[in-house]
Amino acid sequence: MLNIDCTNKHFSEIGKLVRESQDKEIVIDNCLGHRYIASGVGGKDIVINGTPGNALGAYLDGCHIVVNGSAQDAVGDTMNDGTIIIHGNSGDATGYAMRGGKIFIKGDAGYRAGIHMKAYKDKFPVLVIGGKAGSFLGEYQAGGIILVLGVNTDSKTNVGFFTGNGMHGGKIILRSEQLPDLPEQIVSRKANAEDLKEIEQYVGEYCSYFGGSPKEIMSKDFFVLTANSANPYKQLYTSL
């Protein structure tokens, strides 16, 4: 196992150590805003103690990353595969252009989480936010699932403004007391039995990482948001 102490180290040095390590297991201590950790890396199990900087796991290709703390912006930017688990909050643009793998956040996510998420063939991205999400959640989403659980929040909707703005594929699923104001191109409905079965697996995984009762979480209402089939944005991104 490789242990890396970030104290007095430049982010580029840490990135090189992670990329070139022959060890599968890596522990990174005293992380404080160091950027691009595990960018483009696959096949490693990485534990980060502290607060990683922007673009943690950008272009990730199969690592299992656990952050014992919060993370800054652009976690999982354009990631292909792997799992990122954050025992805190995450900044803006979490899962930006994510095209595979899973991100689990115990707490809140900032603005534009899941923007440009997409799915292709066997690649199916999943973003689970345990608390609430900021404005522009799922902006221009094209595939995958964004699940907002609203655990330990006092918000009725658990999201900010402009949820699903420009969305043309995938799903946004909200556990909330009421729906937010939605753009015209979004349709919403109460989750049905098939939806709940799909949600249940991600809730179970969330609780296995962070604790909590899957039964209690699943006892509340869920709403499913999808793109309207008559959505004018669809013509900009797919052939008819």
Side-chain angles (χ1 to χ4, degrees), residues 141-168:
Q141 184 182 353
I145 285 182
I146 300 172
L147 175 59
V148 182
L149 298 177
V151 176
N152 298 323
T153 67
D154 56 5
S155 169
K156 290 185 177 181
T157 63
N158 300 320
V159 294
F161 299 107
F162 309 112
T163 297
N165 192 50
M167 181 182 184
H168 51 98

Side-chain angles (χ1 to χ4, degrees), residues 1-239:
M1 182 173 69
L2 175 65
N3 288 89
I4 301 173
D5 187 342
C6 293
T7 306
N8 297 324
K9 285 187 174 65
H10 192 268
F11 72 83
S12 61
E13 181 182 357
I14 295 165
K16 183 177 181 182
L17 288 170
V18 171
R19 286 193 305 274
E20 296 182 356
S21 173
Q22 298 302 306
D23 293 298
K24 181 180 179 181
E25 297 182 7
I26 299 173
V27 175
I28 300 174
D29 291 318
N30 299 312
C31 187
L32 188 61
H34 295 81
R35 294 175 282 170
Y36 308 118
I37 293 175
S39 178
V41 175
K44 292 182 168 66
D45 294 330
I46 302 172
V47 175
I48 301 172
N49 297 312
T51 304
N54 291 358
L56 166 70
Y59 301 97
L60 193 71
D61 207 20
C63 288
H64 183 83
I65 299 175
V66 176
V67 179
N68 292 316
S70 294
Q72 293 182 343
D73 298 345
V75 171
D77 181 349
T78 325
M79 69 182 282
N80 294 308
D81 200 1
T83 306
I84 301 175
I85 301 160
I86 300 172
H87 287 263
N89 301 320
S90 185
D92 296 342
T94 298
Y96 176 86
M98 184 182 177
R99 53 198 181 193
K102 299 177 182 179
I103 299 175
F104 290 86
I105 304 160
K106 182 178 182 180
D108 302 337
Y111 295 153
R112 289 190 161 88
I115 179 175
H116 286 299
M117 274 179 62
K118 63 205 73 172
Y120 181 69
K121 293 186 177 179
D122 63 336
K123 297 293 185 182
F124 187 83
V126 176
L127 172 59
V128 179
I129 300 165
K132 58 184 183 294
S135 297
F136 296 99
L137 174 71
E139 186 178 32
Y140 304 116
Q141 184 182 353
I145 285 182
I146 300 172
L147 175 59
V148 182
L149 298 177
V151 176
N152 298 323
T153 67
D154 56 5
S155 169
K156 290 185 177 181
T157 63
N158 300 320
V159 294
F161 299 107
F162 309 112
T163 297
N165 192 50
M167 181 182 184
H168 51 98
K171 295 179 186 176
I172 298 173
I173 304 176
L174 306 179
R175 175 180 175 266
S176 61
E177 294 181 22
Q178 65 185 51
L179 282 169
D181 291 331
L182 296 170
E184 291 182 1
Q185 73 268 19
I186 299 299
V187 293
S188 63
R189 57 178 171 80
K190 277 280 194 73
N192 59 32
E194 185 178 347
D195 297 320
L196 292 175
K197 185 177 180 181
E198 182 177 31
I199 295 164
E200 192 172 20
Q201 64 178 314
Y202 302 127
V203 169
E205 197 167 352
Y206 174 89
C207 291
S208 73
Y209 296 137
F210 306 122
S213 167
K215 184 177 180 180
E216 182 179 345
I217 292 174
M218 293 298 299
S219 70
K220 303 293 184 181
D221 288 334
F222 288 85
F223 295 93
V224 179
L225 315 183
T226 55
N228 192 323
S229 60
N231 178 358
Y233 284 99
K234 181 178 180 181
Q235 299 180 39
L236 298 177
Y237 295 96
T238 60
S239 58

